[in-house]
Amino acid sequence: MSLPKAPTKDEASLKAYTARRKLNRLRRAACQLFTSEAMVKAIQKLEVEIETRRLLVRRDRHLWKDIGERQKVLNWLLSYNPLWLRIGLETIYGELIALESNSDVMGLAIFILNRLLWNPDIAAEYRHPVVPHLYREGHEEALSKFTLKKLLLLVCFLDCAKRSRMIDHDPCLFCKDAEFKASKDLLLAFSRDFLSGEGDLSRHLGFLGLPVSHIQTPLDEFDFAVTNLAVDLQCGIRLVRTVELLTKNWSLSKQLRVPAISRLQKMHNVDIVLNVLKERGVLLKDETGASIDSRDIVDRHRERTLALLWKIVFAFQVDVFLNVEHLKEEIEFLKNAHKRKALLGGVRTFPNDFKVQEDSSNFSSQTYSENVKLLMAWVNAVCRFYNIKVENFTVCFSDGRVLCHLIHHYHPCYMPLEAVCQRTTQTVECSRTVTVGLNSSSSSESDTSLNVVEEMFDQTVTSSVLYKELLDNEKQNFQLINAAVSDLGGIPAMIHHADMSNTIPDEKVVITYLSFLCSRLLDLRQETRAARLIQAAWRSYRLKRELKLSQERDRAARIIQRSAMNFLARRRILRKKNAAIFIQKHWRGYLARMAVFNLKKAKLEEVQCMHQAAVCIQATFKMYFMSKKYQSMKMAAIRIQRQYRAFRLGKVQRKKYLELKKSVIILQAACRGMKVRQDLKTMHQSAAIIQSYYRILIRTMNESAVIIQRRFRTFLERKPNIQRQKYLSLLNATVIIQSAYRGFVVRKKMQQMHQAATVIQAMECKGRVSNKGRYFHFKQRWFRAKMQRKRFLRDYQRVVRLQRAVRGWLSHRSAAAAVIQRSVRAFLARRRRTKFAVGIVKFQALWRGYSWRKTTDTAKTRALRCSLVKANENFREENKLGNRTAIAIDHLLKYKHLSYILAALKHLEVATRLSPVCCENMAQSRAMFSIFVLIRSCNRSVPCMDVIRYSVQVLLNVSKYERTTQAVYEAENSIDTLLDLLQMYRGKAGDKVSEKGGSIFTKTCCLLAILSKDSKRALVRPKCFGTVPCIQSLYKLTARKHRMDAERILVKQKTNTALGGSSSVPVTPLRIKTVSRIKPDWVLRKDKVQEVVDPLQAIVMVMDTLGIACY
């Protein structure tokens, strides 16, 4: 089967925007994007960059004079799609470009040459007053600035518009044969050839707020036309593109494997479509009940491929084609219009008793969705004007009349009512007697009904000729429909008279075709909206006027009728009154006689009732008194019985309890005695074994020492004489040196003593001249005795210390043996006691678990246990925290890409938060230094803020653990880096909108406070130059922002209070020293505090930790 190719994306978008209304809508969307706040700020920054000559065209490049350069720029701009280029130029210049069509490349080229590379206003400003085509100085610079500004704005705007998918069918931004397929490549080429001192122009524009990132991939240029359903849909790319357009989920193309060469790649692409359909609840089975699989599509199974296409069409038929709100509005409008028209006709015919009949359609909507029900409601609302009821999507559409009436209702010029053939197989019945009758069961409801009477035909007309004529009429109706649809446009030719007439049409085809037709008619109703509103208003006015006249006539008739009825009623009332008086007279006499009789009877009954009442009261009181006495006696007996039974039962229970207690005490005593005897026996055996081993060790050591001494003496005796001579010579030299040194020391002391004696003699010679000699000898003798006693005491102390050391060594040796024995015995006793205690604890845990499960075991707890078992079964070795930490540290040290670093930091954050072992591994590796280097290399962009946030969190987790806090502190430039980080994010500390900046500031403050928690570190840091002023300035800024926020909240609360609300004064955060209570997440303590989230409280905590005053 040969079919024409489907139009490409570019052709479809050109066709869609050929109409003036849609093109104007596209222009408005482009203007809104261009005048958005972000774009306006970026354009202002770009103008400042160009005016301050930070973006400058090279002086040797003449964009207008040099024909080659001009042609190069023109070719670069013409590499854009003509439709995108037209929208971009019209938006940048703010004017409409007169082109023959959206693909008029010649008109775009002329506009670029005359308005982008040239400016008549600048030429008029710098034109020479006398010489033509000569311009004053500065003309070329102004023209280059103008061209540079417009060119950069055009490229950046087109990139932004393409990323926002401004055009419905999203055509390619660049032509398929263009030199460039990315905006960044075009900017790099322009920067390389024309700009001065500029490297990466796209990066410069990104800083200004004009980022470019669009890259045209081969998938965007893929030819999505389908010529053979089995072959072209085999790869799955066209199916994915179809579902992507229907669901508006633009992430499906990113999952494609292009080019799809192997069978697995094709099956993967088809599975994407099948998964989307399954998520929307589509049952993927064909008419025979067989499942539609990706292998069927890849293997070119035509029937199942068609079945899948119908599934897609039927799943998205009304959801995509129609606007449900507009459809509901149209149905309501049609119902009101028909109601007004019917009321107007009914008022003329039956002014008193006319009521509009409600629609009683027999449409079975149990198997259809809500949108399909709305579609049927719309069809019935339109066909009600033509007195036709539509009950299904099959037979009712087989003759084409319903479709003709739908088109005629909205566009009578394309479908005249006279041209519609009403004689079809649905309206004319052929009988064996060759008679024809029109089924006009509802033909008299409005003035637009078809008044067709029964006719008799010639007997020569056969039944086959009549049937053929009816089929020709249906064929003519479908030809009218196809002609009208081709004029309307936007509706595919899905129906043919051979598939609709003389058969039961396919329901899916009819619903899909109706969806397209309804969408197109509702889209084109804007042109006829005003006329329809005027008609509705006129009909409403006319209906009100007719109703008013009818009400006035009815009121006059009612007044006349009321007067006549009042006269007749008065005559009837007078006759009834006379009859009533006669009846009343006789009735009152009868009532008086009966009253006397009743009075006598009542007095007799009253006396009897009083007697009976007295007897009843006495009996009731006696019964109440006796029942009360009986109840009290009964309760007393019950209480006595209960107490006596309790006493008997308690006596028996106490006897059993004492017997059981005695048995338990005996068993406990026996068990404890047996355990103590076993323990003593084991301890005696252990002590005997230890003593035997220790004696063997001592004996072995003594024997070893004797053997070593014997062999050493033998070795000395067997040494040659040369060694002994060397030893003797060395000994003599040592003795000589020692004697020389001792002589030097003695001589020095004697000299000191001589000097002392001389001084003493000089001092005492004045008063004691006669006893000079004797006193001098006495002094010398006393001094020598003193020195000798001093030497004796020194030698005596040395001997005492030596004896004490030997005795201490001997006592220490015996004490060591006793300590060893005592430690071993204590160790064995502790091990036995620990094992026994562990056994008891395990038994208690098992018993408590069993009792708890027995009392509280539910389906939820059983499901939880099953999930834990399954989780343990699915456990993998690489998911352990230790392995994840090692892999993350390796990636952090090896890779430089931001995504790898961010993923590694996320793993490290989880590991350090949950495991102290991972914190110690972090401290032992080079990861700390790498994290601080990474923090110093980041800027204030959003990805870098994520990296800094996770880096600070990892450092905070490691520093919370006391064993690894010192490792974080000892990292190179750690405190300086944290202070720089506080300075960088100080502006966002109190901003409630910038959540990431605020979290970085508070977490950095907590980290700095934890690192300065140690007193030594807290004393060292403030001595560093600039630390105290830096922290104080941060405190002032944060306190000022907190105060401003509090005042703003207070003013807002006062306003709310004045309006009737309640107010509360904002609380200033307390200055509490919480650093010592910040513990790791695995520590479970009641006094543990979480991280501080208030910026002011965080900076105050840092100042309190460092001992800095707040002023």
Side-chain angles (χ1 to χ4, degrees):
M1 181 174 64
S2 177
L3 293 174
K5 287 187 176 181
T8 61
K9 290 196 299 182
D10 299 341
E11 294 172 356
S13 62
L14 289 173
K15 184 178 179 180
Y17 285 97
T18 302
R20 183 181 301 275
R21 184 165 58 90
K22 292 188 177 181
L23 186 59
N24 290 336
R25 189 183 306 165
L26 179 60
R27 287 168 177 160
R28 286 194 297 270
C31 184
Q32 290 177 358
L33 178 62
F34 187 72
T35 56
S36 62
E37 184 179 358
M39 184 65 74
V40 170
K41 290 182 180 180
I43 293 172
Q44 292 175 353
K45 293 179 182 179
L46 179 62
E47 291 177 351
V48 171
E49 292 290 314
I50 295 175
E51 293 298 331
T52 55
R53 302 172 65 85
R54 285 194 285 269
L55 284 175
L56 182 65
V57 180
R58 291 166 51 181
R59 294 184 178 275
D60 58 340
R61 300 296 182 184
H62 307 282
L63 295 176
W64 174 249
K65 295 180 181 179
D66 195 333
I67 298 177
E69 302 295 344
R70 184 172 56 183
Q71 185 64 37
K72 182 187 293 185
V73 175
L74 181 62
N75 292 336
W76 287 353
L77 293 179
L78 290 180
S79 62
Y80 282 105
N81 188 310
L83 177 59
W84 281 112
L85 186 58
R86 177 181 184 177
I87 295 301
L89 291 173
E90 287 183 350
T91 306
I92 297 299
Y93 283 90
E95 59 182 77
L96 301 180
I97 303 176
L99 299 177
E100 295 180 359
S101 64
N102 287 332
S103 58
D104 187 5
V105 181
M106 184 60 68
L108 293 173
I110 294 173
F111 185 84
I112 291 171
L113 292 174
N114 294 335
R115 298 296 303 278
L116 183 63
L117 299 176
W118 181 255
N119 191 342
D121 297 333
I122 296 176
E125 182 181 357
Y126 289 93
R127 183 180 290 115
H128 195 276
V130 179
V131 182
H133 303 295
L134 183 64
Y135 302 96
R136 292 183 285 107
E137 184 179 357
H139 170 262
E140 186 172 352
E141 182 179 358
L143 184 60
S144 63
K145 287 182 179 180
F146 170 79
T147 303
L148 178 60
K149 174 185 172 183
K150 294 295 183 183
L151 182 63
L152 294 181
L153 281 180
L154 178 62
V155 174
C156 296
F157 173 75
L158 288 178
D159 189 90
C160 182
K162 173 62 179 175
R163 284 187 277 110
S164 63
R165 296 183 179 270
M166 187 181 297
I167 301 178
D168 292 340
H169 296 84
D170 195 23
C172 297
L173 182 62
F174 297 94
C175 299
K176 292 183 179 180
D177 56 349
E179 179 183 355
F180 302 103
K181 296 299 177 69
S183 304
K184 186 176 181 180
D185 296 340
L186 194 149
L187 290 176
L188 288 175
F190 181 77
S191 173
R192 181 181 64 249
D193 294 345
F194 294 99
L195 295 187
S196 173
E198 186 69 28
D200 191 353
L201 180 59
S202 61
R203 186 177 181 183
H204 194 164
L205 294 176
F207 292 146
L208 299 179
L210 294 171
V212 290
S213 60
H214 174 68
I215 299 176
Q216 188 166 303
T217 61
L219 181 61
D220 297 331
E221 300 175 355
F222 187 79
D223 186 10
F224 292 98
V226 179
T227 57
N228 190 325
L229 289 178
V231 176
D232 294 339
L233 301 181
Q234 178 186 10
C235 61
I237 298 176
R238 294 174 177 85
L239 286 174
V240 172
R241 180 61 178 172
T242 303
V243 176
E244 191 177 41
L245 289 173
L246 292 174
T247 59
K248 303 297 182 183
N249 183 9
W250 308 112
S251 62
L252 296 179
S253 298
K254 299 178 182 179
Q255 305 176 22
L256 284 172
R257 294 180 180 175
V258 182
I261 301 174
S262 66
R263 175 182 173 85
L264 291 177
Q265 292 174 340
K266 296 177 182 178
M267 291 177 64
H268 170 77
N269 295 341
V270 177
D271 283 333
I272 296 174
V273 178
L274 298 181
N275 291 334
V276 173
L277 294 177
K278 289 178 182 178
E279 290 176 359
R280 294 182 68 90
V282 179
L283 185 63
L284 297 177
K285 291 186 178 181
D286 58 3
E287 296 178 353
T288 62
S291 298
I292 302 174
D293 196 3
S294 58
R295 291 172 293 185
D296 301 329
I297 310 301
V298 175
D299 294 340
R300 305 178 183 179
H301 197 293
R302 290 181 179 271
E303 289 77 9
R304 293 185 180 174
T305 303
L306 286 173
L308 177 62
L309 289 177
W310 275 118
K311 292 288 183 183
I312 295 174
V313 171
F314 205 67
F316 299 97
Q317 52 186 355
V318 183
D319 297 337
V320 176
F321 301 148
L322 293 180
N323 189 330
V324 178
E325 297 297 330
H326 291 174
L327 185 58
K328 291 181 179 178
E329 179 185 353
E330 182 67 16
I331 293 171
E332 189 66 25
F333 180 82
L334 291 172
K335 288 182 179 179
N336 293 334
H338 180 267
K339 184 177 180 181
R340 283 192 295 268
K341 190 173 182 180
L343 283 173
L344 188 59
V347 166
R348 294 176 181 175
T349 309
F350 306 103
N352 294 329
D353 300 328
F354 177 76
K355 293 183 180 180
V356 179
Q357 295 182 359
E358 298 294 332
D359 183 25
S360 58
S361 177
N362 296 327
F363 174 62
S364 178
S365 59
Q366 296 179 358
T367 59
Y368 297 102
S369 63
E370 292 296 330
N371 294 332
V372 178
K373 296 177 186 177
L374 286 176
L375 191 63
M376 176 58 77
W378 172 73
V379 172
N380 279 311
V382 175
C383 292
R384 200 179 303 158
F385 289 93
Y386 304 95
N387 215 25
I388 298 176
K389 291 183 180 180
V390 181
E391 299 177 354
N392 52 56
F393 287 106
T394 54
V395 179
C396 294
F397 292 86
S398 62
D399 58 354
R401 289 186 305 129
V402 175
L403 297 175
C404 292
H405 291 152
L406 290 176
I407 299 173
H408 172 265
H409 181 78
Y410 288 94
H411 297 281
C413 57
Y414 291 123
M415 182 68 65
L417 188 61
E418 297 79 11
V420 180
C421 298
Q422 303 294 340
R423 292 168 51 83
T424 63
T425 57
Q426 296 294 319
T427 59
V428 178
E429 297 179 357
C430 299
S431 63
R432 295 181 180 179
T433 59
V434 200
T435 59
V436 180
L438 182 66
N439 185 8
S440 57
S441 61
S442 59
S443 60
S444 61
E445 292 184 4
S446 67
D447 57 348
T448 59
S449 62
L450 302 175
N451 299 319
V452 181
V453 297
E454 297 184 356
E455 298 179 356
M456 298 298 295
F457 288 87
D458 193 351
Q459 295 294 331
T460 58
V461 180
T462 62
S463 178
S464 61
V465 174
L466 178 60
Y467 190 69
K468 184 178 180 181
E469 179 186 354
L470 298 178
L471 292 179
D472 291 338
N473 291 342
E474 293 180 359
K475 181 178 179 181
Q476 184 179 354
N477 287 342
F478 283 107
Q479 290 176 353
L480 290 173
I481 292 170
N482 292 330
V485 164
S486 63
D487 293 335
L488 292 175
I491 304 173
M494 298 176 59
I495 60 175
H496 193 264
H497 69 90
D499 300 328
M500 302 288 289
S501 180
N502 196 23
T503 185
I504 298 177
D506 191 350
E507 186 181 38
K508 296 180 288 188
V509 175
V510 175
I511 294 176
T512 306
Y513 189 78
L514 274 177
S515 301
F516 279 109
L517 180 61
C518 180
S519 175
R520 185 59 178 166
L521 291 177
L522 293 183
D523 187 41
L524 295 176
R525 68 172 179 166
Q526 301 297 331
E527 286 76 6
T528 61
R529 185 73 173 176
R532 296 175 69 188
L533 291 176
I534 292 172
Q535 289 177 353
W538 167 249
R539 287 170 182 163
S540 299
Y541 168 72
R542 192 174 176 184
L543 177 61
K544 290 179 182 178
R545 191 175 66 178
E546 294 290 339
L547 288 174
K548 186 177 181 181
L549 290 174
S550 177
Q551 290 173 0
E552 290 178 354
R553 295 193 193 99
D554 183 68
R555 191 182 302 111
R558 289 178 185 276
I559 291 172
I560 295 171
Q561 290 177 356
R562 189 182 305 113
S563 300
M565 292 171 67
N566 289 337
F567 172 73
L568 296 175
R570 282 196 296 271
R571 290 182 62 181
R572 286 193 300 269
I573 290 171
L574 185 60
R575 287 196 299 267
K576 291 179 180 180
K577 181 179 180 182
N578 295 328
I581 291 172
F582 180 78
I583 293 171
Q584 287 176 358
K585 182 173 61 176
H586 290 279
W587 175 251
R588 286 169 183 163
Y590 172 75
L591 290 179
R593 289 190 296 271
M594 291 298 297
V596 174
F597 177 74
N598 292 331
L599 184 60
K600 293 179 180 180
K601 187 178 180 180
K603 286 184 177 181
L604 182 61
E605 291 178 354
E606 183 178 357
V607 173
Q608 293 177 354
C609 289
M610 290 176 66
H611 179 71
Q612 292 178 357
V615 173
C616 183
I617 291 171
Q618 290 174 356
T620 304
F621 177 76
K622 292 175 181 178
M623 180 184 67
Y624 169 75
F625 180 77
M626 293 304 295
S627 63
K628 190 173 181 181
K629 185 176 181 180
Y630 169 76
Q631 290 293 334
S632 61
M633 291 175 66
K634 181 180 179 181
M635 293 301 298
I638 291 172
R639 192 177 297 110
I640 293 170
Q641 290 176 354
R642 188 184 297 118
Q643 290 181 358
Y644 179 75
R645 288 168 185 166
F647 171 74
R648 292 283 301 276
L649 184 62
K651 197 172 181 181
V652 173
Q653 291 292 336
R654 179 166 179 79
K655 185 177 180 181
K656 290 182 180 179
Y657 167 75
L658 292 175
E659 292 176 355
L660 182 62
K661 181 179 179 182
K662 184 177 180 180
S663 303
V664 171
I665 291 172
I666 293 171
L667 290 174
Q668 288 179 350
C671 182
R672 289 169 182 166
M674 183 180 67
K675 289 188 65 65
V676 169
R677 286 191 294 274
Q678 289 179 356
D679 293 340
L680 289 175
K681 184 178 179 182
T682 307
M683 290 173 64
H684 283 300
Q685 292 176 357
S686 302
I689 292 170
I690 293 171
Q691 289 175 357
S692 63
Y693 276 107
Y694 181 76
R695 289 168 184 152
I696 292 171
L697 179 63
I698 296 298
R699 190 182 303 112
T700 306
M701 290 174 64
N702 292 333
E703 292 175 357
S704 301
V706 171
I707 293 170
I708 292 171
Q709 290 175 356
R710 187 185 303 117
R711 292 190 178 182
F712 182 75
R713 290 167 183 160
T714 306
F715 171 75
L716 292 178
E717 290 175 358
R718 292 178 181 177
K719 261 190 175 183
N721 294 329
I722 297 173
Q723 296 293 332
R724 183 167 182 79
Q725 290 178 1
K726 288 183 179 180
Y727 169 75
L728 293 176
S729 61
L730 183 61
L731 181 62
N732 293 328
T734 304
V735 170
I736 293 171
I737 292 171
Q738 289 177 351
S739 62
Y741 180 75
R742 289 168 182 163
F744 169 75
V745 172
V746 171
R747 285 192 298 273
K748 190 171 183 180
K749 288 183 178 181
M750 289 300 296
Q751 186 177 0
Q752 291 176 356
M753 291 170 61
H754 180 70
Q755 290 177 357
T758 304
V759 171
I760 292 170
Q761 290 174 2
M763 291 178 64
E764 294 181 355
C765 66
K766 293 181 180 180
R768 299 177 182 177
V769 179
S770 60
N771 299 325
K772 183 177 180 180
R774 188 174 56 189
Y775 185 75
F776 176 74
H777 290 295
F778 174 79
K779 283 288 185 182
Q780 285 181 343
R781 196 164 50 248
W782 174 81
F783 182 78
R784 288 175 186 145
K786 183 179 180 182
M787 292 302 297
Q788 188 175 3
R789 178 175 175 78
K790 189 175 181 180
R791 284 193 297 271
F792 169 76
L793 291 175
R794 184 174 63 242
D795 295 339
Y796 177 78
Q797 292 294 332
R798 288 176 180 174
V799 173
V800 170
R801 281 198 298 270
L802 181 60
Q803 290 177 351
R804 189 183 299 115
V806 172
R807 291 169 184 160
W809 178 77
L810 293 174
S811 63
H812 180 70
R813 187 174 63 176
S814 60
V819 169
I820 291 171
Q821 291 178 352
R822 192 184 310 114
S823 300
V824 170
R825 291 167 184 161
F827 168 73
L828 294 175
R830 282 196 304 272
R831 188 168 66 179
R832 285 192 302 273
R833 188 167 56 253
T834 304
K835 188 180 298 183
F836 184 69
V838 169
I840 292 174
V841 170
K842 286 184 179 180
F843 178 75
Q844 290 176 347
L846 291 173
W847 172 253
R848 288 168 184 164
Y850 168 73
S851 60
W852 183 86
R853 285 191 297 273
K854 188 176 179 180
T855 55
T856 62
D857 196 10
T858 59
K860 189 174 181 180
T861 56
R862 288 194 294 272
L864 184 60
R865 287 200 299 272
C866 293
S867 63
L868 291 175
V869 172
K870 290 182 180 179
N872 292 330
E873 291 177 355
N874 298 328
F875 164 74
R876 292 188 298 176
E877 188 67 25
E878 59 270 15
N879 289 335
K880 286 186 176 180
L881 287 178
N883 297 334
R884 288 176 63 183
T885 305
I887 295 171
I889 292 173
D890 182 63
H891 287 185
L892 184 64
L893 298 176
K894 183 187 298 183
Y895 296 109
K896 302 299 181 183
H897 198 272
L898 202 60
S899 61
Y900 290 103
I901 293 175
L902 189 59
L905 289 174
K906 290 180 180 179
H907 286 295
L908 288 177
E909 193 274 331
V910 174
T912 55
R913 177 163 45 84
L914 300 177
S915 173
V917 179
C918 297
C919 294
E920 294 178 357
N921 295 338
M922 279 283 297
Q924 294 173 2
S925 63
R926 295 182 63 254
M928 295 296 179
F929 177 74
S930 300
I931 289 176
F932 279 108
V933 172
L934 182 63
I935 292 174
R936 288 194 293 271
S937 63
C938 288
N939 52 26
R940 296 184 66 169
S941 62
V942 175
C944 291
M945 286 176 66
D946 290 336
V947 171
I948 293 175
R949 183 158 54 88
Y950 280 105
S951 301
V952 173
Q953 187 62 49
V954 171
L955 295 176
L956 186 59
N957 293 338
V958 176
S959 62
K960 286 180 182 179
Y961 189 37
E962 296 180 354
R963 297 184 180 180
T964 56
T965 306
Q966 190 65 23
V968 180
Y969 179 79
E970 291 177 353
E972 185 177 357
N973 297 327
S974 59
I975 303 299
D976 297 335
T977 304
L978 296 179
L979 291 175
D980 294 339
L981 199 61
L982 289 177
Q983 288 286 350
M984 182 183 297
Y985 290 97
R986 69 184 187 279
K988 296 184 178 182
D991 192 0
K992 302 301 184 295
V993 178
S994 56
E995 182 182 353
K996 294 182 179 178
S999 63
I1000 292 175
F1001 183 84
T1002 54
K1003 290 178 186 298
T1004 308
C1005 289
C1006 292
L1007 178 58
L1008 190 60
I1010 291 173
L1011 293 180
S1012 304
K1013 181 171 61 174
D1014 191 2
S1015 58
K1016 296 181 180 179
R1017 295 196 291 263
L1019 291 175
V1020 171
R1021 288 313 309 170
K1023 295 180 181 179
C1024 298
F1025 179 73
T1027 302
V1028 175
C1030 175
I1031 296 177
Q1032 288 178 347
S1033 64
L1034 288 174
Y1035 169 74
K1036 291 178 181 178
L1037 179 62
T1038 309
R1040 179 174 172 270
K1041 287 192 174 184
H1042 183 272
R1043 187 171 59 256
M1044 293 174 64
D1045 291 341
E1047 292 175 356
R1048 192 182 303 112
I1049 294 171
L1050 190 60
V1051 170
K1052 188 179 296 183
Q1053 291 177 350
K1054 287 182 179 179
T1055 306
N1056 295 334
T1057 306
L1059 295 176
S1062 60
S1063 64
S1064 61
V1065 180
V1067 181
T1068 304
L1070 299 175
R1071 292 187 57 182
I1072 54 175
K1073 198 165 184 180
T1074 59
V1075 183
S1076 59
R1077 291 190 289 163
I1078 297 178
K1079 301 294 182 182
D1081 290 350
W1082 61 79
V1083 176
L1084 302 177
R1085 292 178 56 181
K1086 292 184 179 179
D1087 60 343
K1088 187 182 75 171
V1089 297
Q1090 300 296 329
E1091 298 176 7
V1092 181
V1093 296
D1094 186 78
L1096 182 59
Q1097 189 175 357
I1099 193 66
V1100 168
M1101 181 176 63
V1102 174
M1103 298 180 70
D1104 291 342
T1105 305
L1106 293 175
I1108 301 174
C1110 299
Y1111 59 90

